[in-house]
Amino acid sequence: MECPYCGAMDTKVIDSRPYSIDNSIKRRRECVVCCKRFTTYEKIEPIPIFVIKKNNIKEVFNRDKLLKGLERAVIKRNVNLEALERFVGEVEDTIRKTNHLEIESTQLGELVMEKLKKLDEIAYIRFASVYKDFSDVKSFVKEIEGMVDSD
């Protein structure tokens, strides 16, 4: 690890502890050359998840893309950014627990909608209206009636 003060490559770890905010390890280091201390964070680089699109093209799962879509769905709702970031993390964890690092976009959409319905029903309807691409008002109303009937 390079010292940020003198550029020396010889440093030693003097303290390590878990850092719960992003599941990393916080390390306190000391430069052997200039004796100054600094902090580093070590995080496991996750194996990427691939989303198989409807046209069979694979693309890397993009947390930010999902987060942006969810942000649009929860506009003027009582759902904060921290809850959405947790939500995206839960979706990602659910996919990883299947031990398949590829998921079809339709399966991903269904998973998100299933979880979103529990988080906020209005956000669910907003997300579903874009995801399901309702062709007319009747299909939109049918989706809402399905939600009301399931309660």
Side-chain angles (χ1 to χ4, degrees), residues 108-137:
L108 177 59
E110 294 296 326
L111 174 63
V112 169
M113 287 194 313
E114 179 184 314
K115 289 182 173 292
L116 193 54
K117 190 185 278 189
K118 295 173 187 170
L119 180 68
D120 187 279
E121 290 181 338
I122 300 299
Y124 164 80
I125 288 296
R126 289 175 178 169
F127 188 88
S129 71
V130 173
Y131 173 74
K132 290 189 175 186
D133 194 24
F134 296 123
S135 56
D136 55 26
V137 174

Side-chain angles (χ1 to χ4, degrees), residues 2-18:
E2 183 178 330
C3 173
Y5 300 104
C6 71
M9 294 302 291
D10 198 9
T11 63
K12 62 182 178 181
V13 176
I14 54 176
D15 183 36
S16 280
R17 62 184 63 183

